[in-house]
Amino acid sequence: LANRLIAHWVTGWGARYNPTRQEALALVKMADDLEAVVREIEREEGRPAKTVATAARRHPLARPFKEVAELLRKKNDTPYLILFGTGWGMTRELIEQCNYVLEPIEGNGYNHLSVRTAAAIILDRLLRGEVS
Ligand code: SAM
């Protein structure tokens, strides 16, 4: 299904309908599992990636935004892979395979955001480095 969706926007009717989306989706690569993604990043970057899991649920090992933002800012060329789930979120096994778990974005009670909303907030907090 994912390959069909990508083909629609990259080479199919969607490419003519929305060339900007074509450009973005042409960057998407499919992989069978997390190990395959980490191997591919190592091939491209010349060093293994550190993985950061995200989830709406609290995790006992979760690290604050400030700490993860500082890791990302360190000039040691380590690539970081930030993982986002779909539907019910990432499985516990997948989360525990990651090097770090990021604290959730807290809401006023219900905090289960759409993945695009969570990704936008998380990238802004981590890359601006202005969280306290
Ligand atoms: N019940 C799922 C959970 O606990 O993660 C929510 C799944 S949500 C539809 C899809 C993805 O968006 C999640 O796997 C996570 O990557 C991200 N996400 C959603 N809400 C979030 C939050 N409050 N904090 C951090 N990430 C969140």
Side-chain angles (χ1 to χ4, degrees):
L1 177 62
N3 281 325
R4 264 182 65 199
L5 287 171
I6 294 166
H8 170 78
W9 290 109
V10 175
T11 55
W13 178 83
R16 290 187 304 283
Y17 174 73
N18 190 334
T20 310
R21 191 169 293 169
Q22 176 195 31
E23 200 182 329
L25 285 174
L27 301 173
V28 176
K29 293 182 188 172
M30 297 293 292
D32 288 336
D33 53 30
L34 180 57
E35 285 88 6
V37 178
V38 171
R39 273 200 307 276
E40 176 64 13
I41 295 174
E42 185 167 3
R43 200 185 59 74
E44 283 183 13
E45 300 290 325
R47 51 182 77 212
K50 297 276 188 199
T51 48
V52 182
T54 63
R57 268 161 288 162
R58 290 206 187 85
H59 189 279
L61 300 178
R63 311 288 184 103
F65 277 97
K66 189 174 192 297
E67 189 182 323
V68 177
E70 277 162 12
L71 285 172
L72 265 56
R73 272 201 303 276
K74 275 193 191 152
K75 298 266 178 284
N76 60 7
D77 292 336
T78 300
Y80 282 87
L81 171 63
I82 304 173
L83 287 91
F84 294 91
T86 57
W88 295 98
M90 290 160 54
T91 61
R92 180 175 291 277
E93 293 74 24
L94 186 58
I95 290 176
E96 286 174 1
Q97 255 179 276
C98 291
N99 298 105
Y100 305 101
V101 184
L102 185 63
E103 68 174 327
I105 301 159
E106 296 292 354
N108 195 3
Y110 186 79
N111 76 333
H112 292 253
L113 305 170
S114 66
V115 67
R116 61 184 153 177
T117 305
I121 294 171
I122 288 172
L123 291 178
D124 181 64
R125 287 187 182 178
L126 292 179
L127 301 180
R128 278 192 318 160
E130 288 176 10
V131 285
S132 53

